[in-house]
């Protein structure tokens, strides 16, 4: 897993309570550590019946604490300091018992003491079996905690350890990580900014079962949406064809054709601070769509499909910007197989962009469907910034750094 700038050197307290899902928390601890965080795990007495502190120490590279550490004498109340200095606290699984303790301000074990002393945001990831989640006492405790500003992630619906099916499963580590990005990101520079991102390719229908599409996977656009969430933005992601999961906290709008994407982009970007057009929009659509599936006969040897232009979305946005003020900043992409910089510069000016990200989609390590990209950033002031090959997540960070400057 890539390092995530948002987590780099952040102090995270990861509380683990006694539930069968505790084994999955080791994976979460590992993911947070790989993302760059300094993760201090605290296990309750009952958590240690399911999984040992050694596992957490091994994946985080830091001591994992248990209740025995509450009575250590080697430091000045170490647990209080831990709670006070953390950037984020996550309790996963949060059992009904720990939720009850937190709701009532009890502090009778290492984890509840640290949680009570914490000044950072706290994420609770409930997990419990049977009717414990729906029990009125648990629901009332969770409601109290929500009102006090605790962030509650889940629980998910599904099969629980007892075989019962319902709400009570712990959210998966990848989803908890996504949730943590939203909570931690809220304190960052883009807080309150509305950013619209497009991703994936459009599909232009020929008949009810066929379409013209392209090789775009949506990876670069999704990476930009995730990076904007990490910086606290309010993100709308308009997606053509892409099988990628929606980053936590993103408002996703699915569209199919260039025409539909155009309508969605104009509506969403009217009041937005920025639009980033990473989608691979088809330039041509079938002049007419057959109502029924086009059939071949014995004598059919060729088939002509007449194509006509689709709307140029960025041109339409340019016209909208001239009439209204939104979006304040527009960023486009240029997918080229030749004359990269000349073609990108001409698109930058003709589409009225503030910045264009030029990429050579014929290279095997850049462009469509791969995880890496090699791009050059060209701005309206004539600046040219070539970037080395890097992950699409890193490209997204560069783009957002430039966007931050443009929004100032
Ligand atoms: N784009 C758009 N509407 C279209 C086609 C493209 O808004 N109908 C946007 C893309 O999302 C991208 C930028 O315009 O941000 C450039 O897209 P690209 O496919 O590189 O260029 P085109 O404008 O389609 O020009 P050409 O196909 O001639 O290279």
């Amino acid at each position: 897993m890539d390092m995530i700038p948002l987590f780099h050197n952040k102090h995270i307290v990861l509380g683990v309570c006694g539930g069968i899902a505790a084994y999955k928390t080791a994976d979460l601890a590992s993911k947070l550590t790989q993302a760059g965080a300094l993760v201090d795990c605290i296990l309750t007495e009952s958590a240690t019946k399911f999984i040992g502190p050694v596992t957490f120490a091994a994946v985080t590279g830091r001591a994992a604490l248990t209740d025995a550490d509450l009575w250590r004498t080697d430091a000045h109340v170490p647990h209080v300091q831990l709670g006070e200095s953390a950037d984020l606290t996550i309790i996963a699984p949060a059992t009904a018992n720990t939720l009850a303790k937190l709701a009532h301000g009890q502090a009778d074990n290492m984890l509840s003491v640290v949680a009570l002393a914490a000044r950072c945001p706290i994420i609770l990831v409930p997990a419990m079996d049977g009717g414990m989640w729906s029990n009125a006492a648990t629901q009332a405790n969770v409601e109290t905690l929500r009102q006090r500003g605790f962030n509650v992630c889940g629980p998910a619906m599904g099969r629980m350890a007892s075989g019962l099916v319902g709400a009570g499963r712990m959210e998966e580590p990848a989803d908890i990580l996504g949730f943590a990005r939203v909570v931690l990101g809220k304190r960052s520079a883009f807080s309150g900014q509305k950013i619209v991102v497009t991703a994936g390719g459009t599909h232009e229908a020929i008949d009810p079962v066929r379409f013209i599409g392209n090789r775009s996977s949506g990876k670069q656009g999704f990476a930009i949406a995730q990076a904007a969430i990490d910086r606290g933005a309010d993100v709308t992601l308009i997606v053509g064809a892409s099988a990628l999961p929606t980053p936590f906290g993103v408002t996703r709008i699915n569209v199919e054709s260039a025409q539909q994407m155009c309508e969605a982009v104009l509506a969403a970007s009217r009041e937005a601070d920025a639009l980033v057009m990473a989608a691979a929009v088809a330039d041509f659509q079938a002049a007419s769509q057959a109502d029924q599936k086009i059939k071949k006969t014995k004598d059919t040897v060729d088939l002509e499909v007449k194509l006509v232009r689709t709307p140029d979305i960025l041109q339409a946005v340019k016209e909208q910007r001239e009439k209204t003020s939104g979006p304040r900043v527009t960023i486009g992409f240029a997918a080229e197989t030749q004359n990269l910089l000349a073609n990108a510069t001409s698109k930058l000016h003709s589409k009225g962009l503030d910045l264009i990200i030029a990429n050579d989609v014929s290279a095997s390590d850049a462009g469509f469907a791969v995880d890496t990209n090699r791009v050059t950033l060209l701005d309206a002031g004539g600046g040219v910034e070539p970037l080395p090959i890097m992950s699409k997540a890193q490209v997204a960070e560069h783009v957002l750094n430039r966007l931050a400057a443009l929004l100032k």
Side-chain angles (χ1 to χ4, degrees), residues 11 45 51 64 76 89 159 171 243 252 267 276 297 315-316 354 359 391:
H11 277 104
E45 177 65 26
I51 187 166
H76 171 66
T89 294
R159 184 187 175 280
E171 291 285 0
R252 177 174 182 155
V276 184
T297 64
Q315 280 296 341
D354 300 288
N359 69 339
S391 71

PDB file of all heavy atoms in Angstrom, residues 11 45 51 64 76 89 159 171 243 252 267 276 297 315-316 354 359 391:
ATOM      1  N   HIS A  11      -0.300  10.630  14.844  1.00  0.00           N
ATOM      2  CA  HIS A  11      -0.425   9.720  15.978  1.00  0.00           C
ATOM      3  C   HIS A  11      -1.856   9.208  16.051  1.00  0.00           C
ATOM      4  O   HIS A  11      -2.777   9.996  16.220  1.00  0.00           O
ATOM      5  CB  HIS A  11      -0.083  10.457  17.282  1.00  0.00           C
ATOM      6  CG  HIS A  11       1.377  10.504  17.532  1.00  0.00           C
ATOM      7  ND1 HIS A  11       2.130  11.631  17.332  1.00  0.00           N
ATOM      8  CD2 HIS A  11       2.238   9.538  17.949  1.00  0.00           C
ATOM      9  CE1 HIS A  11       3.395  11.366  17.612  1.00  0.00           C
ATOM     10  NE2 HIS A  11       3.497  10.106  17.978  1.00  0.00           N
ATOM     11  N   GLU A  45      -8.955  -5.916  28.323  1.00  0.00           N
ATOM     12  CA  GLU A  45      -8.723  -7.250  28.877  1.00  0.00           C
ATOM     13  C   GLU A  45      -9.408  -8.311  28.003  1.00  0.00           C
ATOM     14  O   GLU A  45      -8.816  -9.336  27.648  1.00  0.00           O
ATOM     15  CB  GLU A  45      -9.280  -7.272  30.317  1.00  0.00           C
ATOM     16  CG  GLU A  45      -9.200  -8.601  31.046  1.00  0.00           C
ATOM     17  CD  GLU A  45      -7.759  -9.032  31.298  1.00  0.00           C
ATOM     18  OE1 GLU A  45      -6.880  -8.156  31.384  1.00  0.00           O
ATOM     19  OE2 GLU A  45      -7.524 -10.264  31.395  1.00  0.00           O
ATOM     20  N   ILE A  51      -7.136 -11.931  20.708  1.00  0.00           N
ATOM     21  CA  ILE A  51      -5.903 -11.663  19.954  1.00  0.00           C
ATOM     22  C   ILE A  51      -4.891 -11.001  20.906  1.00  0.00           C
ATOM     23  O   ILE A  51      -5.289 -10.242  21.797  1.00  0.00           O
ATOM     24  CB  ILE A  51      -6.209 -10.765  18.715  1.00  0.00           C
ATOM     25  CG1 ILE A  51      -4.984 -10.597  17.819  1.00  0.00           C
ATOM     26  CG2 ILE A  51      -6.793  -9.413  19.105  1.00  0.00           C
ATOM     27  CD1 ILE A  51      -5.318 -10.017  16.438  1.00  0.00           C
ATOM     28  N   ALA A  64       2.261  -2.397  21.992  1.00  0.00           N
ATOM     29  CA  ALA A  64       0.793  -2.431  22.091  1.00  0.00           C
ATOM     30  C   ALA A  64       0.474  -2.536  23.578  1.00  0.00           C
ATOM     31  O   ALA A  64       1.069  -3.336  24.293  1.00  0.00           O
ATOM     32  CB  ALA A  64       0.248  -3.622  21.322  1.00  0.00           C
ATOM     33  N   HIS A  76       5.240   9.760  33.504  1.00  0.00           N
ATOM     34  CA  HIS A  76       4.220  10.574  34.151  1.00  0.00           C
ATOM     35  C   HIS A  76       2.879  10.323  33.457  1.00  0.00           C
ATOM     36  O   HIS A  76       2.657  10.746  32.330  1.00  0.00           O
ATOM     37  CB  HIS A  76       4.616  12.043  34.038  1.00  0.00           C
ATOM     38  CG  HIS A  76       3.547  12.976  34.487  1.00  0.00           C
ATOM     39  ND1 HIS A  76       3.128  13.035  35.781  1.00  0.00           N
ATOM     40  CD2 HIS A  76       2.797  13.858  33.800  1.00  0.00           C
ATOM     41  CE1 HIS A  76       2.161  13.941  35.873  1.00  0.00           C
ATOM     42  NE2 HIS A  76       1.941  14.454  34.685  1.00  0.00           N
ATOM     43  N   THR A  89      -8.369   8.976  17.265  1.00  0.00           N
ATOM     44  CA  THR A  89      -8.557   7.725  17.993  1.00  0.00           C
ATOM     45  C   THR A  89      -9.608   6.903  17.250  1.00  0.00           C
ATOM     46  O   THR A  89     -10.635   7.442  16.826  1.00  0.00           O
ATOM     47  CB  THR A  89      -9.029   8.010  19.444  1.00  0.00           C
ATOM     48  OG1 THR A  89      -7.979   8.681  20.135  1.00  0.00           O
ATOM     49  CG2 THR A  89      -9.362   6.730  20.188  1.00  0.00           C
ATOM     50  N   ARG A 159     -23.701 -11.433   7.943  1.00  0.00           N
ATOM     51  CA  ARG A 159     -23.696 -12.596   8.826  1.00  0.00           C
ATOM     52  C   ARG A 159     -22.767 -12.335  10.007  1.00  0.00           C
ATOM     53  O   ARG A 159     -21.638 -11.902   9.828  1.00  0.00           O
ATOM     54  CB  ARG A 159     -23.210 -13.827   8.044  1.00  0.00           C
ATOM     55  CG  ARG A 159     -23.270 -15.102   8.841  1.00  0.00           C
ATOM     56  CD  ARG A 159     -22.621 -16.247   8.097  1.00  0.00           C
ATOM     57  NE  ARG A 159     -22.587 -17.435   8.940  1.00  0.00           N
ATOM     58  CZ  ARG A 159     -21.687 -17.644   9.893  1.00  0.00           C
ATOM     59  NH1 ARG A 159     -20.749 -16.753  10.130  1.00  0.00           N
ATOM     60  NH2 ARG A 159     -21.727 -18.751  10.625  1.00  0.00           N
ATOM     61  N   GLU A 171     -17.324  -2.977  10.151  1.00  0.00           N
ATOM     62  CA  GLU A 171     -16.961  -2.566   8.788  1.00  0.00           C
ATOM     63  C   GLU A 171     -15.582  -3.138   8.445  1.00  0.00           C
ATOM     64  O   GLU A 171     -14.752  -3.347   9.324  1.00  0.00           O
ATOM     65  CB  GLU A 171     -16.913  -1.032   8.693  1.00  0.00           C
ATOM     66  CG  GLU A 171     -18.264  -0.346   8.809  1.00  0.00           C
ATOM     67  CD  GLU A 171     -19.132  -0.468   7.566  1.00  0.00           C
ATOM     68  OE1 GLU A 171     -18.707  -1.091   6.576  1.00  0.00           O
ATOM     69  OE2 GLU A 171     -20.253   0.055   7.598  1.00  0.00           O
ATOM     70  N   ALA A 243     -15.473   0.498 -12.721  1.00  0.00           N
ATOM     71  CA  ALA A 243     -15.892  -0.491 -11.733  1.00  0.00           C
ATOM     72  C   ALA A 243     -15.310  -0.177 -10.364  1.00  0.00           C
ATOM     73  O   ALA A 243     -15.450  -0.960  -9.437  1.00  0.00           O
ATOM     74  CB  ALA A 243     -15.424  -1.872 -12.187  1.00  0.00           C
ATOM     75  N   ARG A 252     -21.337  10.339  -5.347  1.00  0.00           N
ATOM     76  CA  ARG A 252     -21.095   9.799  -6.689  1.00  0.00           C
ATOM     77  C   ARG A 252     -22.342   9.925  -7.558  1.00  0.00           C
ATOM     78  O   ARG A 252     -23.438   9.596  -7.123  1.00  0.00           O
ATOM     79  CB  ARG A 252     -20.706   8.324  -6.568  1.00  0.00           C
ATOM     80  CG  ARG A 252     -20.489   7.633  -7.908  1.00  0.00           C
ATOM     81  CD  ARG A 252     -19.975   6.227  -7.664  1.00  0.00           C
ATOM     82  NE  ARG A 252     -19.708   5.509  -8.902  1.00  0.00           N
ATOM     83  CZ  ARG A 252     -18.843   4.511  -9.001  1.00  0.00           C
ATOM     84  NH1 ARG A 252     -18.166   4.112  -7.933  1.00  0.00           N
ATOM     85  NH2 ARG A 252     -18.642   3.889 -10.144  1.00  0.00           N
ATOM     86  N   ALA A 267     -24.572  21.107 -14.101  1.00  0.00           N
ATOM     87  CA  ALA A 267     -25.388  21.321 -12.892  1.00  0.00           C
ATOM     88  C   ALA A 267     -24.517  21.326 -11.637  1.00  0.00           C
ATOM     89  O   ALA A 267     -24.654  22.194 -10.779  1.00  0.00           O
ATOM     90  CB  ALA A 267     -26.471  20.240 -12.800  1.00  0.00           C
ATOM     91  N   VAL A 276     -12.503  19.273 -12.023  1.00  0.00           N
ATOM     92  CA  VAL A 276     -11.361  18.544 -12.593  1.00  0.00           C
ATOM     93  C   VAL A 276     -11.930  17.489 -13.542  1.00  0.00           C
ATOM     94  O   VAL A 276     -12.568  16.525 -13.110  1.00  0.00           O
ATOM     95  CB  VAL A 276     -10.498  17.877 -11.493  1.00  0.00           C
ATOM     96  CG1 VAL A 276      -9.272  17.221 -12.123  1.00  0.00           C
ATOM     97  CG2 VAL A 276     -10.076  18.879 -10.426  1.00  0.00           C
ATOM     98  N   THR A 297     -28.176 -10.614 -41.046  1.00  0.00           N
ATOM     99  CA  THR A 297     -28.835 -11.648 -41.837  1.00  0.00           C
ATOM    100  C   THR A 297     -27.729 -12.413 -42.554  1.00  0.00           C
ATOM    101  O   THR A 297     -26.558 -12.034 -42.469  1.00  0.00           O
ATOM    102  CB  THR A 297     -29.790 -11.026 -42.883  1.00  0.00           C
ATOM    103  OG1 THR A 297     -28.984 -10.274 -43.791  1.00  0.00           O
ATOM    104  CG2 THR A 297     -30.835 -10.152 -42.223  1.00  0.00           C
ATOM    105  N   GLN A 315     -15.993  22.936 -23.199  1.00  0.00           N
ATOM    106  CA  GLN A 315     -16.434  24.139 -23.930  1.00  0.00           C
ATOM    107  C   GLN A 315     -17.721  24.674 -23.308  1.00  0.00           C
ATOM    108  O   GLN A 315     -17.893  25.881 -23.130  1.00  0.00           O
ATOM    109  CB  GLN A 315     -16.687  23.808 -25.415  1.00  0.00           C
ATOM    110  CG  GLN A 315     -15.444  23.734 -26.278  1.00  0.00           C
ATOM    111  CD  GLN A 315     -14.705  25.068 -26.375  1.00  0.00           C
ATOM    112  OE1 GLN A 315     -15.255  26.131 -26.098  1.00  0.00           O
ATOM    113  NE2 GLN A 315     -13.433  25.006 -26.740  1.00  0.00           N
ATOM    114  N   ALA A 316     -18.626  23.753 -22.980  1.00  0.00           N
ATOM    115  CA  ALA A 316     -19.902  24.157 -22.373  1.00  0.00           C
ATOM    116  C   ALA A 316     -19.657  24.788 -20.998  1.00  0.00           C
ATOM    117  O   ALA A 316     -20.319  25.760 -20.625  1.00  0.00           O
ATOM    118  CB  ALA A 316     -20.834  22.947 -22.261  1.00  0.00           C
ATOM    119  N   ASP A 354      -7.541  26.592 -16.484  1.00  0.00           N
ATOM    120  CA  ASP A 354      -6.508  27.190 -15.643  1.00  0.00           C
ATOM    121  C   ASP A 354      -5.271  26.293 -15.614  1.00  0.00           C
ATOM    122  O   ASP A 354      -4.156  26.769 -15.397  1.00  0.00           O
ATOM    123  CB  ASP A 354      -7.047  27.366 -14.218  1.00  0.00           C
ATOM    124  CG  ASP A 354      -8.258  28.269 -14.219  1.00  0.00           C
ATOM    125  OD1 ASP A 354      -8.073  29.477 -14.417  1.00  0.00           O
ATOM    126  OD2 ASP A 354      -9.398  27.767 -14.081  1.00  0.00           O
ATOM    127  N   ASN A 359      -0.983  13.845 -20.645  1.00  0.00           N
ATOM    128  CA  ASN A 359      -0.334  12.532 -20.536  1.00  0.00           C
ATOM    129  C   ASN A 359      -0.351  11.765 -21.843  1.00  0.00           C
ATOM    130  O   ASN A 359      -1.276  11.848 -22.630  1.00  0.00           O
ATOM    131  CB  ASN A 359      -0.816  11.704 -19.344  1.00  0.00           C
ATOM    132  CG  ASN A 359      -2.222  11.221 -19.436  1.00  0.00           C
ATOM    133  OD1 ASN A 359      -2.998  11.782 -20.182  1.00  0.00           O
ATOM    134  ND2 ASN A 359      -2.532  10.193 -18.679  1.00  0.00           N
ATOM    135  N   SER A 391       2.846   7.149  -8.948  1.00  0.00           N
ATOM    136  CA  SER A 391       1.521   6.526  -8.846  1.00  0.00           C
ATOM    137  C   SER A 391       0.460   7.584  -9.157  1.00  0.00           C
ATOM    138  O   SER A 391       0.705   8.793  -9.035  1.00  0.00           O
ATOM    139  CB  SER A 391       1.308   5.968  -7.439  1.00  0.00           C
ATOM    140  OG  SER A 391       1.156   7.033  -6.530  1.00  0.00           O
TER     141      SER A 391
END
